[in-house]
Amino acid sequence: MASETAAAPAPPPGPDPGAAGPTSLQELRRLESSLRGLTEADAEARLGEAGENVLPEARTASWARRFVRGLRDPFTSVLLCLGLVSATVTAWGTACVILSLVVVSCVLRATGEHRADRSMAALRDLVATTATVVRRPDADRAPREREIPAAELVPGDVIRLAPGDLVPADVRLLRAGGLTVHQGALTGESAPVAKSAPDVPGAFGGGPFAQPHLCFQGSSVASGSGTALVLRTGARTRFARAHGTPAARGASAFDRSVHGISWVLIRFMLLTPPLVLMAGAALRGRGLQTLPFAVAVAVGLTPEMLPVIVTTCLARGASLLARSQGVIVKRLPALHDLGAVDVLCLDKTGTLTQDRPVVERALDGDGKDAPEALRWAAVSAWWTLQLADLPAPDALDEAILDAADGAWEDCEGVAALPFDPVRRRATAVVRGGLGRHVLVVKGAAEDVLERCALEPAERERLLAHAAREAGDGLRVLAVATADRPARTRPYTAADERGLTFRGFVTFRDALAPTAARALKDLAARGVTVRILTGDHPGTAVRVCRDLGLDPGRVRAAGAPDDAAATVVARCTPEDKARIVTDLRAAGHTVGFLGDGVNDVPALHAADVGVAPRDAVDVARESADVVLAYKDLTAIDHAVAAGRRASGNIASYLRVTLSSNLGNVVAMLAAGLLLPFLPMLPAQVLAQNLCFDAAQLAFAYDRPAARALARPTVLRPRDFLRFITGFGLLNAVADLATFGVLALALHGPDALDDDAVFHSAWFTENLLTQALVMVLLRSGRRVAEGRAPGPLGRAAAGLVAVGLLLPLSPLGSLLGLTALPVTYHLLLAAVLALYALALWAVKARYERRSGAQR
């Protein structure tokens, strides 16, 4: 025992609470404590040595670290290299523009993630804020109970547990009365688990959470009361260990897409400058004189605005989600991953259901309605609550009282025996006829029927009936009564015999009001929902059917092909993570919604982890997206926001890459055919700046509804096919422009002038890019004829620049000159033909894409 006169040193950690345990007396001795609790001096000394009972805080990256981390983005790295190359060849204008874009992109990304971290900091709270502890002011004074911050608990403290309390540490029960705890945050079980205080050393089967004498931080008291000894606090609790053992997350959908497209572009860019240099040296003898032009061509192929567009799209979508839905996106690329999700895995508890039961029906032994059974169950629930001095009814009693609607009011209570997890029954005694008392017993079917006066065959028939109801996903309580002579002597459990069976009361999980509609909306978006639950298979199937979700063939965790099942029951945390990993390996983009410690491995394994705001701290920290409420409707809104952002990014990539590829092909051809550079480096830079500024409108565009109907995945091969086809079409338009220029420059008017060629191609490039912006948007069919909004205004601005810049003083500084009116007419004809061709090819592409879906 602890010294009565001096503060004892902190005891050794001792065995893991999940291991085969010693007796409570041995634990008290090891921790140098007693049933009277620690003295204040002991507790203070131990707090100094063991530290506060708080979870390890996740390290938050600084703003500067986030900025530097943004440079690791593949596109940003490519731009940075091009900027340095441009500076090396003294193309200072190009270098300054590129490096400015790199800085803007990194600042936007770091700012968005910093804002998300600040929002998360406002949501962090400790698992339990206060605890009722038994302590002595000093060794010679009597112990007293008082509330203290949970952070001040130390190993060896004795605490009291009551209904509604959060278990503040890993504890061993010393005494327990009707104690049940919710430990779903740790195990995924929806039903409360009975706990008791057996004082027999040795292991209990089923793992640490099945041991009746142990309660763990992260669980909460559902009913009953208890006295417990604190075994472990702070970082040593089982709950806290989840912070330090996250599963390694592979590359997300966004990472895979960006890396794939990056390597396609890098190959093009590495190939382009040598081709330009070799062509210039071999055919025109210009050699290194074409190096600035070669760098400008490589820059022209690069979607230099991509980091800015991506970050702006994602940051704007995240900001709108936070304001309108209270959804916090902690990692900006996770918003794209939400848009790409085609499989969403979740637990049914609290997502599809409300974490509370409701009465399904009351029935007799033949399966017929039995209102009297519900009435007697309500009498038992009400008078047990009143006479056993319980602070609140448990979940099943509350459901009974709601369904009975005052049916107990004509009875007068006499005594009550509260629910005991060992006998698994509760009994209320009420006044009957003159000089009579009625015992009303309800509880687990097998325990109540065992006490009924029934023939063995009839008892077996009723037990089979109860088993069928349970197999259909319902919880079952049996109700029985007994008429006894009135007496003043206390009633005991021995009086629960010779009972008359009255019927069964069955319960189902209350459905979340928005779940059915949200499931339909997710299915309409092409998202398949998978239920991974620790509950009984029948319970999960019942919920799915009530919501209109076909459960298909239900698998138990560990069964062959369980990753292909709609419902997987009896899942451990490792099972959930394994199934998510298997789905990703099969090519799916997987989202996982979880709120407990048992969900942390799966949150890390998914492409995007989602947790509600009221999830346990470690789950919120592990998630990429935090919901205001555990509601599938919020997931649907987040998926739609992700697809809007991804659709705009995809539109930008399609437009800019196809346009850039066409220009590069045309520039290479012109470099081989013309005796002069087809466009001066300064003009290439000016054209890119104009096009880049116009493309900022993609961040504010609204894709058509059909672009939100399917998961948005940036597939490198699809992009390569798209940009190759439309890029070659763009190159044909440029080559047609060369033909017009050749006719105009060497025709009857003999306009043999480099400046005229540069100006004409400059104007034609901007006009064709404006056409491409309007006609190649994601999801917009060219026949719709709808006003394109921000993109339309940006395209109109691009047209105005293309027509007016050669006439301005700035145009002359760039080497541009005014064009003859006749040339504008020829340009209009080329552009009209190009628009018709683009229209026809886009319509054919859409038909083929629709047929493939």
Side-chain angles (χ1 to χ4, degrees):
M1 292 289 183
S3 169
E4 297 287 329
T5 58
D16 180 18
T23 65
S24 57
L25 181 59
Q26 289 170 333
E27 287 283 26
L28 286 167
R29 286 175 175 167
R30 180 182 67 81
L31 294 170
E32 299 183 355
S33 184
S34 72
L35 291 174
R36 302 173 65 206
L38 299 173
T39 65
E40 295 292 351
D42 286 344
E44 185 176 353
R46 294 187 183 191
L47 184 63
E49 294 187 14
E52 290 191 334
N53 178 36
V54 295
L55 295 175
E57 291 208 9
R59 291 184 178 179
T60 301
S62 65
W63 193 94
R65 183 181 293 272
R66 289 194 186 93
F67 180 90
V68 174
R69 196 164 56 195
L71 295 174
R72 294 184 299 185
D73 176 85
F75 282 121
T76 307
S77 300
V78 168
L79 281 181
L80 186 60
C81 292
L82 283 174
L84 296 176
V85 171
S86 299
T88 302
V89 299
T90 67
W92 300 113
T94 303
C96 290
V97 171
I98 292 176
L99 295 178
S100 297
L101 292 174
V102 169
V103 172
V104 169
S105 172
C106 292
V107 167
L108 285 174
R109 175 171 294 188
T111 302
E113 293 182 358
H114 180 66
R115 187 183 299 115
D117 275 349
R118 284 192 305 175
S119 300
M120 278 299 299
L123 297 178
R124 292 189 184 101
D125 50 14
L126 196 61
V127 176
T129 55
T130 62
T132 302
V133 67
V134 177
R135 284 184 182 170
R136 294 169 287 162
D138 55 54
D140 298 324
R141 298 175 65 178
R144 59 192 178 102
E145 296 180 9
R146 67 185 183 92
E147 291 283 323
I148 66 169
E152 297 178 8
L153 285 178
V154 295
D157 263 327
V158 175
I159 62 172
R160 307 288 193 208
L161 298 174
D165 285 351
L166 294 170
V167 178
D170 290 351
V171 301
R172 181 201 173 104
L173 292 173
L174 303 175
R175 297 192 184 99
L179 184 67
T180 62
V181 300
H182 286 292
Q183 53 186 33
L186 301 163
T187 64
E189 300 168 285
S190 59
V193 178
K195 295 291 183 178
S196 57
D199 205 19
V200 179
F204 295 86
F209 298 111
Q211 300 189 55
H213 63 299
L214 297 177
C215 296
F216 296 91
Q217 184 183 50
S219 55
S220 61
V221 178
S223 63
S225 59
T227 300
L229 174 68
V230 174
L231 301 179
R232 291 176 180 264
T233 60
R236 294 171 294 278
T237 64
R238 187 171 288 271
F239 185 90
R241 291 180 197 173
H243 279 269
T245 57
R249 171 182 279 152
S252 68
F254 181 81
D255 297 330
R256 294 192 298 270
S257 300
V258 167
H259 281 82
I261 296 172
S262 295
W263 278 111
V264 171
L265 292 177
I266 288 170
R267 292 186 184 101
F268 271 113
M269 287 184 294
L270 291 177
L271 184 63
T272 300
L275 285 177
V276 174
L277 291 173
M278 287 188 295
L283 299 179
R284 302 298 175 189
R286 289 193 288 263
L288 292 177
Q289 296 174 5
T290 62
L291 182 58
F293 177 71
V295 172
V297 170
V299 172
L301 180 63
T302 309
E304 58 265 31
M305 287 296 291
L306 182 61
V308 177
I309 294 289
V310 168
T311 306
T312 303
C313 286
L314 296 179
R316 183 169 181 268
S319 178
L320 290 174
L321 268 180
R323 291 200 304 269
S324 62
Q325 304 297 329
V327 176
I328 298 172
V329 180
K330 295 168 55 182
R331 183 176 60 87
L332 284 183
L335 188 60
H336 164 270
D337 293 342
L338 272 175
V341 161
D342 60 349
V343 176
L344 176 64
C345 299
L346 49 86
D347 193 343
K348 71 172 188 61
T349 306
T351 306
L352 305 179
T353 63
Q354 298 184 52
D355 281 335
R356 66 178 181 86
V358 294
V359 172
E360 173 72 7
R361 62 183 295 213
L363 59 155
D364 61 17
D366 297 321
K368 299 177 182 178
D369 288 338
E372 275 298 296
L374 179 61
R375 173 180 173 273
W376 284 119
V379 168
S380 174
W382 175 256
W383 286 111
T384 301
L385 176 65
Q386 300 301 315
L387 299 176
D389 197 24
L390 299 177
D394 70 12
L396 295 181
D397 282 352
E398 190 171 15
I400 291 170
L401 295 175
D402 287 342
D405 194 22
W408 62 85
E409 292 177 352
D410 59 345
C411 294
E412 181 183 352
V414 175
L417 299 174
F419 177 82
D420 185 334
V422 176
R423 36 191 276 275
R424 300 202 300 171
R425 298 183 300 277
T427 298
V429 182
V430 298
R431 296 191 187 280
L434 184 63
R436 310 294 293 180
H437 286 169
V438 179
L439 276 70
V440 186
V441 182
K442 64 174 175 58
E446 53 270 32
D447 292 274
V448 172
L449 290 173
E450 183 184 7
R451 297 286 177 150
C452 290
L454 296 169
E455 294 294 328
E458 177 65 7
R459 181 178 292 107
E460 290 301 319
R461 186 184 73 83
L462 292 174
L463 284 173
H465 188 112
R468 286 195 297 273
E469 295 292 332
D472 198 28
L474 300 173
R475 300 186 205 174
V476 182
L477 287 184
V479 183
T481 63
D483 189 68
R484 299 280 193 267
R487 75 187 195 200
T488 57
R489 181 166 49 89
Y491 285 90
T492 66
D495 294 305
E496 300 168 340
R497 54 184 173 76
L499 306 176
T500 301
F501 175 71
R502 294 290 184 175
F504 297 115
V505 179
T506 61
F507 305 82
R508 58 175 173 81
D509 288 330
L511 302 178
T514 60
R517 178 64 184 174
L519 286 174
K520 291 180 181 178
D521 291 342
L522 287 169
R525 296 191 189 279
V527 178
T528 301
V529 174
R530 302 282 173 85
I531 312 298
L532 311 181
T533 180
D535 269 341
H536 187 278
T539 305
V541 169
R542 178 81 187 201
V543 169
C544 291
R545 288 175 178 166
D546 288 345
L547 291 170
L549 178 65
D550 182 9
R553 183 180 174 187
V554 180
R555 302 280 208 297
D561 298 328
D562 56 2
T566 301
V567 176
V568 184
R570 300 301 191 194
C571 280
T572 65
E574 293 74 20
D575 289 327
K576 294 180 181 181
R578 175 183 54 78
I579 291 171
V580 168
T581 302
D582 290 346
L583 287 169
R584 292 185 66 194
H588 296 286
T589 302
V590 184
F592 185 87
L593 172 61
D595 65 349
V597 176
N598 62 316
D599 295 321
V600 170
L603 287 169
H604 279 281
D607 286 288
V608 54
V610 186
R613 182 172 59 185
D614 57 357
V616 297
D617 189 70
V618 64
R620 281 204 313 271
E621 296 293 342
S622 302
D624 302 303
V625 177
V626 177
L627 308 178
Y629 306 100
K630 195 174 183 180
D631 187 346
L632 283 182
T633 302
I635 291 271
D636 182 61
H637 288 305
V639 168
R643 291 187 183 176
R644 277 192 291 272
S646 299
N648 288 339
I649 294 169
S651 287
Y652 165 77
L653 280 171
R654 290 190 181 100
V655 168
T656 192
L657 291 180
S658 58
S659 179
N660 290 356
L661 180 62
N663 288 340
V664 166
V665 172
M667 284 184 179
L668 291 175
L672 297 176
L673 298 174
L674 297 177
F676 52 83
L677 290 177
M679 194 178 291
L680 299 178
Q683 294 166 354
V684 174
L685 177 60
Q687 177 184 281
N688 287 342
L689 283 175
C690 293
F691 193 28
D692 291 342
Q695 288 177 113
L696 281 173
F698 279 109
Y700 302 91
D701 191 27
R702 290 187 64 84
R706 72 176 57 84
L708 308 180
R710 309 300 301 173
T712 306
V713 181
L714 307 177
R715 294 186 175 90
R717 289 186 179 180
D718 291 346
F719 270 99
L720 186 59
R721 285 194 294 267
F722 185 97
I723 66 176
T724 301
F726 286 94
L728 292 177
L729 183 61
N730 194 344
V732 169
D734 287 341
L735 293 174
T737 302
F738 294 167
V740 170
L741 287 173
L743 177 63
L745 293 177
H746 303 288
D749 296 329
L751 298 176
D752 192 5
D753 189 345
D754 295 1
V756 172
F757 185 94
H758 294 156
S759 302
W761 198 22
F762 182 90
T763 299
E764 184 267 346
N765 264 335
L766 290 185
L767 297 185
T768 55
Q769 287 170 343
L771 280 175
V772 169
M773 283 179 62
V774 174
L775 296 180
L776 293 189
R777 300 166 65 203
S778 291
R780 295 286 190 201
R781 288 180 179 166
V782 292
E784 285 182 356
R786 296 181 58 179
L791 272 183
R793 293 190 290 272
L798 204 58
V799 170
V801 171
L803 295 174
L804 300 178
L805 186 61
L807 306 175
S808 68
L810 180 60
S812 62
L813 290 177
L814 293 173
L816 302 175
T817 186
L819 297 173
V821 175
T822 54
Y823 177 74
H824 284 99
L825 296 176
L826 292 172
L827 254 187
V830 172
L831 292 173
L833 291 174
Y834 174 62
L836 288 173
L838 196 63
W839 189 312
V841 175
K842 175 75 183 297
R844 182 172 179 271
Y845 175 82
E846 287 174 344
R847 286 195 299 271
R848 291 184 61 184
S849 298
Q852 290 173 358
R853 287 181 181 175

